[in-house]
Amino acid sequence: MTTTEPHPDGGLSRGLLLLMSVATGLAVAGNYFAQPLLDLIGRELRLGPSMAALVVTAAQAGYALGLILLVPLGDLMERRRLAMSLYAATAVFLLVSATAANGTVLLASTALTALTSVGAQVVVPFAATLAAPAERGRVVGTVMTGLMLGLLLARTASGALSELGGWRTVYWVNAVLMALMAVLLRVFLPRLGGDGRRLSYPGLLRSTVAMFRYEPLLRWRAGVGALSLASFSVMWTALTFLLARSPYGWSESAIGLFGLVGAAGALTATVAGRLADRGYVQTVTGAGATLLVTSWLAIAAGARSLVWLLVGVIVLDLAHQAVLNSSQNVLYALRPEARNRINSAFLTSLFLGGAVGSALTSVVWVHGGWTGVCVLGATLSAGTLALWVLERITVNRAAGKPSKTSARQGHDPAPAASTNWSNPYPATTKGE
């Protein structure tokens, strides 16, 4: 079976889709377990606050490297083997974290865990390839729901597990679950790829970067996604500051439970996916970007009203999921044979956007408080909407008068992408 062929059944069983969703959530969760436990970890391993905070930085750096260096391998290697190997390696590195005797070992194991946890981003395009075209949006939305739930609920789960058996319990439990996932993926995933056509690894990385040059829609959607995640990160970064002070004054455990609110927004990703399957992928992006802007009105009112804060957070999460899911559906339709490289390029851009949003939040909070944070988030959201509008104008002009079907699917009616691996990135859209 080649990398461009869908599963022979023309779709995914519910059981396999559930397995892939849970697998993605568990993989990314490991990168966030330490955040509410830094004080406990610091005391036991005798780390200063700055050294303890480096655990979070190590996770971010490792994940970024994994997106760039490992995710593109899904276009080169047999995908089941790659996914299983990455999950097994993550389990091993989690065990190292669970038994870490000092901060140096914990930092190294955290970075390596994050590096291999990008196996989740091998599973997402894997699911898109196995899905029948008519259900790809629903499938991607379902798998991404699992991923986002893992990200949002990790802090809550780590707090509960640490109270039961200390901070190391979190890593032991996740290591066992990741090892189990590696076995289940090996048993239930079909073989995909490995048909003998090869790029060298350096050539694969060059090809990933070159996608930005030869795929105009990737450039547009990378910008749209980066601004959306930046806005998303602004809210979640500043939320802890807001809830810890008057008039809320919440404890750390109560703040951690607020992640459950975000989970409600993540569950709507499948709705966005189903709408994309019905030909409304651009409508989903536009509606999501518009809601992203308006959500900040409620979030701003949330400075003194918990009800408005809850409404704003749910709407913002829903909107971000709509933008992310619809963008992935647009991009996965471009080049089936380069799906992992496109995913790598897109997600690296998202990661950078989120990192910039978090960094700006720290500065703006000091000088402008919650009002300044809301202005920053609304500005980034407005940029998301503006960039999507410019994308539509540019693509439609380049395509002349595209058919309704082409416009809804997010790309102009250009010839199909070449699958010649010796020349893997000729342009497939007319947006340049």
Side-chain angles (χ1 to χ4, degrees):
M1 184 183 295
T2 68
T3 54
T4 59
E5 292 176 344
H7 192 254
D9 293 339
L12 280 167
S13 68
R14 289 182 181 272
L16 183 55
L17 182 57
L18 177 61
L19 172 63
M20 299 176 89
S21 299
V22 173
T24 57
L26 285 175
V28 300
N31 298 324
Y32 297 90
F33 281 143
Q35 291 188 3
L37 307 176
L38 294 179
D39 185 56
L40 290 174
I41 294 172
R43 287 201 303 268
E44 180 173 330
L45 298 182
R46 297 181 180 179
L47 305 176
S50 59
M51 185 69 172
L54 286 177
V55 174
V56 176
T57 304
Q60 293 174 330
Y63 197 75
L65 286 174
L67 288 174
I68 299 168
L69 300 178
L70 298 182
V71 171
L73 288 172
D75 291 333
L76 190 64
M77 298 174 60
E78 197 276 303
R79 293 187 196 177
R80 181 181 67 177
R81 179 183 301 173
L82 176 62
M84 179 194 68
S85 299
L86 291 174
Y87 273 71
T90 302
V92 171
F93 295 136
L94 284 166
L95 288 176
V96 176
S97 294
T99 58
N102 54 61
T104 301
V105 173
L106 181 62
L107 287 173
S109 61
T110 297
L112 291 171
T113 297
L115 180 77
T116 56
S117 71
V118 296
Q121 299 302 342
V122 174
V123 172
V124 175
F126 199 145
T129 300
L130 294 178
E135 63 175 13
R136 184 171 293 139
R138 177 184 65 83
V139 166
V140 172
T142 301
V143 177
M144 288 301 297
T145 295
L147 187 148
M148 291 302 298
L149 287 175
L151 186 156
L152 291 168
L153 299 180
R155 300 172 182 86
T156 304
S158 67
L161 288 171
S162 66
E163 290 186 4
L164 292 176
W167 68 267
R168 296 179 188 273
T169 304
V170 178
Y171 291 97
W172 283 111
V173 171
N174 199 24
V176 172
L177 291 175
M178 288 298 289
L180 176 62
M181 280 296 125
V183 173
L184 293 176
L185 292 175
R186 172 65 179 81
V187 172
F188 291 106
L189 285 181
R191 289 180 58 84
L192 191 66
D195 62 351
R197 293 180 293 184
R198 291 290 184 267
L199 284 172
S200 66
Y201 182 65
L204 185 74
L205 298 182
R206 288 195 298 270
S207 173
T208 301
V209 175
M211 290 292 170
F212 283 110
R213 178 182 177 187
Y214 290 100
E215 291 295 348
L217 275 175
L218 175 58
R219 296 197 295 271
W220 284 112
R221 289 292 166 156
V224 167
L227 287 173
S228 177
L229 187 58
S231 176
F232 180 86
S233 299
V234 166
M235 192 279 298
W236 282 103
T237 301
L239 189 62
T240 300
F241 302 144
L242 175 69
L243 294 178
R245 71 172 193 173
S246 178
Y248 293 102
W250 288 12
S251 66
E252 292 180 0
S253 58
I255 294 172
L257 289 174
F258 211 86
L260 296 174
V261 177
L267 292 172
T268 62
T270 53
V271 176
R274 291 179 185 276
L275 289 172
D277 288 336
R278 295 176 182 176
Y280 297 102
V281 67
Q282 294 299 340
T283 301
V284 170
T285 305
T290 302
L291 285 174
L292 203 66
V293 178
T294 56
S295 69
W296 283 99
L297 296 175
I299 292 171
R304 296 191 175 277
S305 169
L306 180 59
V307 173
W308 279 115
L309 185 63
L310 290 170
V311 170
V313 170
I314 291 173
V315 173
L316 182 139
D317 280 9
L318 183 155
H320 172 64
Q321 283 301 306
V323 172
L324 175 60
N325 182 260
S326 58
S327 294
Q328 286 178 305
N329 277 283
V330 167
L331 296 177
Y332 287 163
L334 291 178
R335 290 172 175 265
E337 84 287 356
R339 202 162 268 154
N340 284 273
R341 281 169 284 169
I342 287 175
N343 197 41
S344 171
F346 176 64
L347 290 173
T348 300
S349 301
L350 253 70
F351 185 91
L352 292 174
V356 170
S358 297
L360 289 174
T361 303
S362 300
V363 176
V364 171
W365 174 264
V366 172
H367 297 284
W370 188 248
T371 300
V373 165
C374 291
V375 171
L376 173 62
T379 301
L380 292 168
S381 298
T384 304
L385 178 60
L387 207 58
W388 173 75
V389 171
L390 289 174
E391 174 208 305
R392 290 293 86 211
I393 293 173
T394 302
V395 170
N396 288 338
R397 282 177 178 173
K401 290 185 177 181
S403 66
K404 292 183 179 180
T405 301
S406 298
R408 286 175 177 174
Q409 290 179 348
H411 55 88
D412 56 75
S418 169
T419 57
N420 179 5
W421 281 56
S422 63
N423 183 21
Y425 31 77
T428 60
T429 57
K430 299 178 182 178
E432 296 185 288

